[in-house]
Amino acid sequence: MTEESAVLYVVPTPLGNMGDLTRRAEEVLRSVPWVAAEDTRHSGPLLKQLGSQARTLAAHHHNEHEAAARIIERLQAGESVALISDAGTPGISDPGAKVVAAVRAAGCKVVPLPGPCALTTALSASGLLEEHFLFYGFLPSKGSQRRQALTELIELPYALAFYEAPHRILETVADLATVFGERTLVIARELTKMFESIHSGPLTAALDWLKEDSNRQRGEFVLLLSGAPAGGDDGEGERVLKLLLAEGLPVKQAAKLASAITGAAKNALYERALALKEAGGGGGGG
Ligand code: SAM
């Protein structure tokens, strides 16, 4: 391999079904002299199965800077490197972005391969009608920070996409219901795997649906939420809420009245009022 042809390939790997590894990904992983993996032990069996002779180096969240330096060294020596994460597309709620940025800054070529990604897989089967979507990834793990983050998304007329782990699925769905009220939630679980399931229904009923069968709380999740309704009930609710807070009404009373006046969800307005007060923009009265 000549110096000019050395590139960093960004290679998506299967979420759970080996049949989803593309032919091109296979060829790259077989032909490159180096694979930079999020977890070299985890990716070992995949590389072995492909008959890859590549040497591996670790590129995870805690060593991305050093990993980038090593990768650039290899590229400048004329050796191509494939970057992979444990599953799916590197850089999507996974390490990879820092490596890619450093490699590009060093003037080396980056070649991305299309392939498996939990986000696009879930979205393609969601049936949500919004033209636009916002990929949020993982929400904060602490409840108050999570609700705060969610309240900032209330008015967006886009489908919202979140990644979530099994041990937090119940609390996150509960918070979604508290903050957003009446919306459609799609719960995409264990995509491409044996127990794949895609459930769609009203957000307010989703918590009960999850609790009905503990198996529904297992595995890996993508949560997709419909956007704020066009015409902006939520927007009107917030407008009235801000007026009431500015008049000095306490948070609880302002939320209750704004909900009664506009029909927007009371819980969501309450969370929003708290967030506004914390940010110092909600006027007086607590
Ligand atoms: N880079 C990956 C991608 O391209 O989708 C995502 C990596 S992130 C560390 C892992 C999260 O992705 C999981 O917690 C889950 O939210 C989502 N995920 C990964 N595999 C999944 C699957 N088979 N079904 C549903 N969600 C999945």
Side-chain angles (χ1 to χ4, degrees):
M1 217 169 257
T2 67
E3 254 180 64
E4 294 76 43
S5 68
V7 300
L8 174 72
Y9 295 101
V10 183
V11 182
T13 54
L15 300 172
N17 185 329
M18 270 301 288
D20 295 332
L21 189 75
T22 68
R23 210 149 52 170
R24 200 167 155 220
E26 217 173 303
E27 278 164 15
V28 165
L29 291 174
R30 264 207 210 101
S31 64
V32 287
W34 286 94
V35 170
E38 179 181 7
D39 180 343
T40 51
R41 274 191 306 181
H42 175 95
S43 299
L46 169 73
L47 298 174
K48 196 168 170 202
Q49 192 177 333
L50 296 176
S52 165
Q53 302 291 313
R55 278 176 288 173
T56 55
L57 64 91
H60 47 72
H61 277 304
H62 306 292
N63 80 338
E64 268 199 82
H65 281 300
E66 302 97 90
R70 282 191 71 191
I71 290 169
I72 291 165
E73 237 173 61
R74 297 316 342 136
L75 295 171
Q76 288 175 341
E79 296 179 325
S80 287
V81 181
L83 177 69
I84 60 175
S85 59
D86 286 354
T89 303
I92 307 296
S93 295
D94 258 345
K98 285 183 191 156
V99 166
V100 166
V103 165
R104 291 168 67 85
C108 301
K109 192 171 174 188
V110 176
V111 175
L113 271 60
C117 177
L119 165 70
T120 50
T121 307
L123 202 56
S124 70
S126 71
L128 291 178
L129 301 176
E130 280 80 1
E131 196 179 347
H132 308 287
F133 72 90
L134 181 137
F135 174 56
Y136 196 93
F138 288 104
L139 285 156
S141 53
K142 286 209 179 108
S144 56
Q145 288 170 13
R146 185 167 53 234
R147 287 187 291 279
Q148 164 83 43
L150 290 173
T151 54
E152 284 163 19
L153 307 173
I154 285 179
E155 287 180 50
L156 298 179
Y158 315 133
L160 302 174
F162 306 97
Y163 280 172
E164 196 47 280
H167 60 280
R168 268 199 292 272
I169 190 69
L170 286 180
E171 36 182 308
T172 292
V173 169
D175 283 346
L176 287 173
T178 303
V179 174
F180 292 95
E182 224 31 86
R183 300 243 183 132
T184 298
L185 180 69
V186 179
I187 303 177
R189 184 172 79 89
E190 290 290 90
L191 294 166
T192 77
K193 302 187 199 176
M194 186 184 291
F195 296 109
E196 173 178 284
S197 80
I198 300 169
H199 171 82
S200 176
L203 172 56
T204 43
L207 198 58
D208 289 337
W209 182 83
L210 279 170
K211 283 179 179 166
E212 266 165 31
D213 179 351
S214 61
N215 285 322
R216 293 175 182 164
Q217 303 158 29
R218 291 198 180 153
E220 302 194 271
F221 294 88
V222 181
L223 299 172
L224 297 158
L225 190 68
S226 60
D233 277 358
D234 289 312
E236 181 62 2
E238 171 145 345
R239 195 181 67 79
V240 172
L241 179 72
K242 279 181 176 161
L243 283 174
L244 295 173
L245 289 171
E247 286 302 314
L249 260 71
V251 162
K252 205 166 168 188
Q253 200 183 347
K256 192 174 161 190
L257 275 174
S259 167
I261 293 166
T262 65
K266 189 169 71 184
N267 284 342
L269 288 173
Y270 180 69
E271 291 291 337
R272 185 68 186 134
L274 287 179
L276 286 168
K277 300 249 347 154
E278 263 172 45

